[in-house]
Amino acid sequence: MKKKLINDPENVVVEMIEGIVKAKPSKLRKLDNYNVVVRKDAPLDKVALVSGGGSGHEPAHAGYVGEGMLDAAVAGDVFTSPTPDAIFEAIKTVNGGKGVLLIVKNYTGDVMNFEMAEDMAVAEGIEVAHVVVNDDVAVEDSLYTTGRRGVAGTIFVHKIAGAKAAAGAELSEVKKAAEKVISNVRTKGMALYPCRVPSAEEPTFKLEEDEMELGIGIHGEPGTQRTKVKKADEIVDDLLGSILSDINFENGDEVALMVNGMGGTPLMELFIANRRAHQVLENRGIKVYKNFVDEFMTSLEMAGMSITLLKLDQELKELLDAPTDINLMK
Amino acid sequence: MKKKLINDPENVVVEMIEGIVKAKPSKLRKLDNYNVVVRKDAPLDKVALVSGGGSGHEPAHAGYVGEGMLDAAVAGDVFTSPTPDAIFEAIKTVNGGKGVLLIVKNYTGDVMNFEMAEDMAVAEGIEVAHVVVNDDVAVEDSLYTTGRRGVAGTIFVHKIAGAKAAAGAELSEVKKAAEKVISNVRTKGMALYPCRVPSAEEPTFKLEEDEMELGIGIHGEPGTQRTKVKKADEIVDDLLGSILSDINFENGDEVALMVNGMGGTPLMELFIANRRAHQVLENRGIKVYKNFVDEFMTSLEMAGMSITLLKLDQELKELLDAPTDINLMK
């Protein structure tokens, strides 16, 4: 039974949401009876953005609710999709009449529940669209998905669609910007140690004391290769190798590079990985336009990381640089 | 032997520093032959701020080099003071003629080496002063200190002295602002799980599977109480209780509240703790002016947290709110 800094496994999500809202009381509020964080000034006169999913991936997604990013984040139980009811409440709260874009990570439960909520909202006359993020190059189908999983690349969808919406674009244009990110973003992750869901007796998977797993998902879903622990540089080479062989890069291309900690990884290790990622990209003639090294999409206390590349064009660069009050994405 | 995302234990600091500088190539550079990160535009026409200490506490201190905070950070080996030579190089590099303030955490080795570097710089005609941060209320003397240890409260000294220097204050005034923070800031930490130094076979301390330690330091130095694991709320009550009985607070006082993860603690747990911290402070009539919840001063992958309160007055509020390009402290 792993030790955790919690009160009761049954209450972790609601207590966490209360703690998040307390940290930014002038900007965020929690919906009564729902684990939904919304901007305090919502609805605004713009297309609204709603994302969410199971909890345990903090700061995703409530940490991205703010100016130039999300208008609401819906938190399910740990590693469990939020209910259509909660998503529907979020949509109704943030809709300012210009429509709502749902940003969904590709997991079967999430896609189903966000689509149900979309149907409920459309039935009430709200204009809603959705995009499904599937940036994980590791596996085609997984324990919880048909097709590729949605992981850390989702944060770039939040940022860029959020900037487009803030600039006054219509729903169809915001959706198109989100889809451009989705077609340009790729991620692969790995783990040294598993995590444990607060209510569970056992970790979500097991690794021997000399083993690691490549291509792992953010819920500890199996990856592509269980292997002896490699050096950080070899691991980075593997992750970036998979990404670079999945999407066409040309000499001189510019990217956003995200080195994402999975929750239990010290920053020291992320920066060691970041150093190698720059070497690999320089060798390939790819220019890092913007570099993000921190925890963006975690898996409780799992030790490991993911690397994400977003291929940029002029429009994406401008939207990536657009103002936001989310410090992580400045 | 714990698994780590590194290449070679001997190279972790230099590789990490290279990764940090790569992340902000337009703003930071590394000094040749020294593990020192400096602002690329240094020296500037202002009092310069230098901090540092052993590595393994990232983002401290290189993560705080930037506009409105530090001008240089000197990184020693893991949990080991930097050498006087490296500190002296940092001082010479950032001194713009208005003098240099050294911000030192209270550990015997750090204090000795920073003072030696100060002497070397003064001998070359550079105006230097130093402050020693000792915010940890847990123990009076410890394994590595005479007097109280310097821990997460140091970040508030960086921020406030940095803002004072950026505003054009003289060295004596910048030092005075730093000393005001030091007299107004208190921290206490705890751990559920230890960390391991990359070159070591064993963790820095051991806890049974149902044990935690209160009052622990950022190198795993012994705390005040080893106890059965308590609920998050009880832990927060203990940490804040110690802080609130150490410094006089009156009804209506305003504070900056920092809930700091030790490196291996998921954000979910920090926000659960943050919720309780607000409840405790509200009950005491203390107002949270600004709230920081993240990893600020870590101990490799140690699982645990610290809570810091900084008692504010009008001057400290203004300096805390002054511009910086360090996202964590915005």
Side-chain angles (χ1 to χ4, degrees), chain A residues 161-210:
Chain A
K164 193 81 183 171
E170 297 302 318
L171 180 57
S172 61
E173 299 170 299
V174 176
K175 186 183 178 198
K176 207 172 150 193
E179 285 169 338
K180 192 197 251 188
V181 177
I182 292 168
S183 60
N184 282 16
V185 71
R186 299 290 187 281
T187 300
K188 187 176 175 185
M190 56 75 60
L192 293 171
Y193 289 96
C195 59
R196 186 177 61 77
V197 171
S199 60
E201 292 289 327
E202 296 295 326
T204 54
F205 59 102
K206 282 187 181 170
L207 287 169
E208 297 300 322
E209 267 312 297
D210 60 351

Side-chain angles (χ1 to χ4, degrees), chain A residues 31 55 125 317 320:
Chain A
L31 293 192
S55 292
K317 284 199 282 187
L320 190 62

Side-chain angles (χ1 to χ4, degrees), chain A residues 2-3 5-7 18-19 22-23 192-193 208 211 231-233 269 271 274-275 282 291 327, chain B residues 2-3 5-7 15 18-19 22-23 192-193 208 211 231-233 269 271 274-275 282 291 327:
Chain A
K2 186 147 189 179
K3 296 177 275 188
L5 194 55
I6 63 174
N7 292 303
E18 289 174 13
K22 282 284 182 193
L192 293 171
Y193 289 96
E208 297 300 322
E211 278 186 340
K231 286 181 188 294
D233 285 0
E269 301 180 15
F271 280 112
N274 190 54
R275 168 184 172 275
E282 275 165 32
N291 190 185
N327 289 335
Chain B
K2 186 147 188 179
K3 295 178 275 188
L5 194 56
I6 64 173
N7 293 304
E15 291 185 0
E18 287 174 16
K22 282 283 181 194
L192 293 171
Y193 289 97
E208 297 300 322
E211 277 184 343
K231 287 180 186 294
D233 285 1
E269 300 179 16
F271 280 114
N274 191 54
R275 168 185 173 274
E282 277 164 31
N291 189 186
N327 289 336

Side-chain angles (χ1 to χ4, degrees), chain A residues 36-115:
Chain A
V36 174
V37 173
V38 300
R39 288 178 66 175
K40 215 161 186 173
D41 49 5
L44 297 159
D45 180 28
K46 68 172 195 73
V47 172
L49 265 61
V50 175
S51 191
S55 292
H57 307 300
E58 293 69 29
H61 293 274
Y64 302 108
V65 175
E67 186 196 331
M69 290 190 73
L70 302 179
D71 297 278
V74 189
D77 286 342
V78 176
F79 293 176
T80 304
S81 297
T83 62
D85 271 8
I87 303 165
F88 181 42
E89 286 298 318
I91 294 170
K92 284 190 289 185
T93 305
V94 299
N95 174 45
K98 298 195 72 178
V100 180
L101 180 69
L102 310 180
I103 299 169
V104 190
K105 299 196 297 299
N106 190 32
Y107 296 97
T108 307
D110 283 357
V111 173
M112 188 175 70
N113 290 353
F114 273 86
E115 285 182 347

